[in-house]
């Protein structure tokens, strides 16, 4: 067997595999001999079928199968030994004149080669890492929310400014029929509030959806419509009032503190505010880190310049998926996925350069920590090591879970790398400012 490579350019090559009779003949003869022992052909005793007849009936199929096996094994070994970093899979060049009656065969494969490039984490312009803080307004609002949540509910005969109103939004044409509990501060403008003040159970209030809520996302939540349907929605909806309640705020006393955090963990309003600030900022840290991860990713893709073997990849995409594509479909799919392909190559380069690895002991520790957090949410604070190890082992026996956890850990390792190596500047921002700037 002989394998040669012709480099078309830096990103494309053709590999030629020449297979001679001596490469496959012994294995083909062995398989046919085994066929002869077990073949059932009318007119012959088992094991006594003439070899010429066995070859006539099975020879071509065995030959094709063995040559293909030999070809795939040789090609895989060649790519490994030559340390060729290929994109997609080798594509066999069409051979309309292949003669299986010949003794020797030649096959050619197109290769798409990964580009050679360097990744520079020190971008010219600093990337902002947002330190999201819980300000006084947010903490005070959270305390009011907690006091409402644990407060006493008293039925009312008519809607007042601070009422909790339970009812149903309806619009027959748009098939809207959704039961919700709402407060008047969710509505935008005073005119809607005036329509509700003084209304009683059983009354129907007709509202226009355009500009109805302070937060446009509430249109999706309260009317249960999709994002696309909510965008620019301008219809009338009826709201039928089913229940009106007043919620008396719970006292800020030790009984409430113990309900929230356990006996004696918090003993004053000052400690309550500190605890709310601490817990909130732990959650905000994840959001700030995710924003940083997204921004660094975007920056790397935008500023790490290299070419891809686009024509090869589009050709490969035509047959790589479950359903075949034509050339136009493959081009469209390539354009959609080019950015993610670029980042996968950049990420691979960073993982290799900085020797980032997810070891099994990392997965075990991560799974144990995840389980401890989940169990704590249900009040189980003192799980034994044996119990945690058992649950972790069951999780890590699932391939999909292992893949998911490995991706989480690698993201964390990359994030830590970015924090250490990238050109970053820290900006303190309140949660409301963060949401307004990036999610409004």
């Amino acid at each position: 067997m002989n394998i040669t490579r012709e480099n078309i350019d830096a990103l494309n090559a053709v590999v030629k595999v020449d297979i001679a009779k001596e490469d496959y003949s012994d294995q083909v003869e062995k398989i046919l001999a085994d066929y002869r022992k077990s073949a059932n052909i009318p007119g012959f005793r088992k094991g006594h079928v003439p070899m010429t007849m066995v070859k006539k009936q099975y020879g071509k199929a065995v030959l094709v199968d063995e040559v293909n096996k030999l070809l795939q094994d040789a090609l895989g070994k060649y790519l490994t030994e030559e340390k060729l970093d290929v994109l997609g899979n080798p594509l066999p060049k069409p051979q309309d004149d292949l003669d299986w009656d010949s003794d020797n065969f030649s096959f050619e494969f197109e290769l798409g080669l990964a580009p050679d490039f360097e990744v520079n984490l020190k971008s010219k312009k600093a990337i902002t890492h947002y330190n999201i803080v819980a300000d006084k307004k947010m903490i005070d609002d959270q305390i009011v929310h907690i006091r409402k949540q644990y407060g006493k509910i008293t039925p009312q005969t008519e809607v007042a400014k601070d009422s909790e109103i339970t009812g149903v939004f309806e619009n027959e044409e748009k098939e809207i029929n959704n039961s919700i509990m709402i407060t008047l501060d969710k509505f935008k403008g005073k005119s809607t509030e005036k329509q509700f003040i003084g209304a009683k159970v059983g009354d129907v209030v007709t509202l226009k959806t355009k500009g109805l809520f302070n937060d446009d996302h509430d249109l999706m939540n309260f009317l249960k419509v999709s994002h696309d349907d909510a965008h620019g929605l301008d219809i009338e909806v009826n709201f039928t009032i089913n229940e009106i309640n007043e919620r008396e705020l719970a006292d800020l006393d030790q009984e409430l503190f113990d309900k929230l955090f356990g006996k004696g963990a918090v003993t004053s309003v000052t400690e309550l505010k500190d605890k709310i600030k601490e817990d909130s900022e732990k959650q905000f840290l994840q959001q700030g880190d995710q924003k940083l991860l997204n921004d660094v990713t975007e920056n790397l893709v935008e500023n790490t310049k290299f070419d891809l073997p686009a024509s090869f990849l589009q050709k490969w995409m035509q047959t790589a998926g479950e359903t075949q594509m034509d050339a136009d479909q493959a081009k469209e799919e390539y354009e959609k996925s080019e950015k993610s392909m670029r980042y996968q190559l950049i990420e691979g380069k960073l993982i290799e350069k900085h020797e980032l690895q997810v070891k099994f002991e990392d997965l075990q520790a991560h799974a144990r920590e995840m389980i401890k957090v989940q169990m704590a949410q249900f009040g189980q604070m003192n799980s034994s090591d044996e119990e945690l190890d058992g649950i972790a082992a069951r999780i890590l026996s699932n391939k999909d879970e292992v893949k998911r956890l490995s991706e989480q850990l690698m993201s964390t390792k990359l994030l830590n790398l970015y924090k250490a190596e990238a050109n970053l500047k820290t900006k303190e921002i309140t949660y409301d400012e963060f949401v307004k700037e990036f999610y409004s």
Side-chain angles (χ1 to χ4, degrees):
M1 184 185 302
N2 186 43
I3 303 180
T4 55
R5 182 175 82 248
E6 178 189 358
N7 290 327
I8 308 302
D9 54 38
L11 298 173
N12 296 275
V14 174
V15 169
K16 184 180 180 184
V17 183
D18 294 319
I19 297 178
K21 185 175 183 179
E22 56 265 26
D23 296 321
Y24 61 81
S25 58
D26 288 349
Q27 183 65 13
V28 169
E29 290 295 330
K30 180 179 179 300
I31 292 172
L32 290 174
D34 290 339
Y35 273 35
R36 187 186 181 207
K37 292 175 186 176
S38 58
N40 286 311
I41 296 179
F44 297 95
R45 285 184 297 145
K46 189 174 181 179
H48 289 77
V49 179
M51 181 55 83
T52 53
M53 187 168 289
V54 173
K55 287 184 176 181
K56 184 177 181 180
Q57 187 158 347
Y58 301 108
K60 184 67 65 67
V62 171
L63 171 66
V64 172
D65 191 43
E66 286 307 308
V67 168
N68 278 324
K69 286 181 184 176
L70 193 63
L71 184 61
Q72 296 304 319
D73 290 345
L75 190 58
K77 186 178 178 182
Y78 175 80
L79 295 178
T80 301
E81 289 177 349
E82 294 292 312
K83 297 180 181 178
L84 290 177
D85 192 1
V86 298
L87 302 179
N89 292 316
L91 285 177
K93 295 186 78 170
Q95 287 181 277
D96 297 330
D97 58 346
L98 183 60
D99 182 9
W100 286 105
D101 292 323
S102 175
D103 290 335
N104 302 319
F105 307 100
S106 288
F107 302 90
E108 291 185 335
F109 293 85
E110 296 179 61
L111 302 182
L113 305 177
D116 186 25
F117 62 94
E118 294 296 326
V119 182
N120 181 16
L121 287 172
K122 298 291 185 185
S123 57
K124 291 180 180 179
K125 185 178 178 181
I127 299 169
T128 303
H129 185 198
Y130 291 94
N131 177 27
I132 308 169
V133 296
D135 62 350
K136 181 180 182 301
K137 178 181 179 300
M138 181 186 176
I139 294 168
D140 290 343
D141 288 347
Q142 184 65 16
I143 289 174
V144 171
H145 175 75
I146 290 169
R147 293 181 70 189
K148 281 184 178 180
Q149 184 179 354
Y150 288 88
K152 179 183 176 183
I153 296 175
T154 305
Q156 291 179 296
T157 57
E158 61 181 45
V159 176
K161 187 177 179 64
D162 295 325
S163 297
E164 291 182 352
I165 310 158
T166 301
V168 182
F169 274 116
E170 293 177 293
N171 178 286
E172 189 174 344
E173 182 185 350
K174 292 289 185 180
E175 298 181 347
I176 295 170
N177 189 299
N178 191 48
S179 299
I180 56 104
M181 190 280 288
I182 196 167
T183 53
L184 295 181
D185 60 342
K186 292 290 183 181
F187 294 113
K188 189 174 185 179
K190 295 293 183 183
S191 59
T192 302
E193 182 181 296
K194 287 178 182 177
Q195 286 181 264
F196 276 93
I197 297 294
K200 298 178 174 58
V201 171
D203 286 351
V204 178
V205 181
T206 301
L207 305 164
K208 286 187 174 293
T209 58
K210 188 174 182 181
L212 182 58
F213 298 106
N214 289 313
D215 185 345
D216 288 338
H217 290 95
D218 284 341
L219 202 61
M220 294 185 290
N221 298 329
F222 288 137
L223 272 60
K224 278 290 180 286
V225 293
S226 69
H227 181 274
D228 290 340
D229 287 340
H231 183 69
L233 186 66
D234 188 7
I235 60 171
E236 284 190 345
V237 289
N238 290 328
F239 184 84
T240 303
I241 300 173
N242 293 333
E243 192 177 322
I244 307 167
N245 292 306
E246 178 186 25
R247 191 177 289 266
E248 183 181 333
L249 298 182
D251 291 332
L252 288 173
D253 55 16
Q254 194 60 49
E255 182 182 355
L256 178 62
F257 302 156
D258 291 346
K259 282 180 183 177
L260 292 170
F261 302 107
K263 192 169 181 62
V266 169
T267 58
S268 68
V269 174
T270 299
E271 288 181 12
L272 172 64
K273 290 181 177 181
D274 290 343
K275 183 65 174 170
I276 290 172
K277 181 177 176 66
E278 179 188 347
D279 290 349
S280 297
E281 289 180 354
K282 280 182 183 177
Q283 296 178 17
F284 299 161
L285 180 63
Q286 294 178 354
Q287 290 177 273
D289 282 351
Q290 186 59 55
K291 181 76 172 73
L292 175 64
L293 195 62
N294 294 343
D295 288 347
V296 174
T297 298
E298 191 72 28
N299 182 272
L300 287 171
V301 172
E302 189 69 27
N303 294 296
T304 307
K305 304 297 183 183
F306 54 83
D307 292 327
L308 290 171
S311 296
F312 169 85
L313 288 170
Q314 289 174 40
K315 193 185 298 184
W316 170 68
M317 283 179 170
Q318 289 184 52
T319 56
E322 292 182 5
T323 55
Q324 291 200 352
M325 303 181 191
D326 60 29
D328 289 339
Q329 289 171 323
K331 183 179 180 182
E332 183 180 352
E333 184 62 28
Y334 172 79
E335 289 169 353
K336 286 181 186 175
S337 57
E338 182 184 1
K339 203 170 186 178
S340 64
M341 281 192 282
R342 287 182 175 278
Y343 182 67
Q344 285 174 11
L345 288 169
I346 293 168
E347 185 181 272
K349 184 78 74 172
L350 289 170
I351 290 169
E352 181 183 9
K353 179 179 179 180
H354 297 276
E355 298 180 347
L356 304 181
Q357 295 179 355
V358 175
K359 299 176 182 177
F360 185 71
E361 50 264 37
D362 296 333
L363 285 171
Q364 282 181 312
H366 184 60
R368 280 172 55 94
E369 193 59 37
M370 180 182 71
I371 295 160
K372 282 174 70 175
V373 170
Q374 289 176 349
M375 294 179 80
Q377 290 174 349
F378 293 96
Q380 296 175 266
M381 309 297 291
N382 299 308
S383 303
S384 67
D385 287 341
E386 185 179 356
E387 188 177 11
L388 292 171
D389 287 340
I391 299 171
R394 287 198 296 275
I395 290 173
L396 296 178
S397 67
N398 183 310
K399 289 182 180 179
D400 291 336
E401 281 297 303
V402 169
K403 183 175 182 291
R404 184 178 68 84
L405 294 177
S406 296
E407 288 172 351
Q408 285 181 359
L409 280 172
M410 185 53 72
S411 287
T412 300
K413 288 177 181 288
L414 287 165
L415 178 64
N416 291 336
L417 173 66
Y418 299 156
K419 286 180 178 180
E421 300 288 339
N423 181 16
L424 305 180
K425 62 178 180 181
T426 302
K427 179 180 178 180
E428 189 171 284
I429 189 171
T430 68
Y431 182 71
D432 284 346
E433 289 169 341
F434 182 78
V435 171
K436 184 177 180 181
E437 188 167 346
F438 300 109
Y439 297 107
S440 296

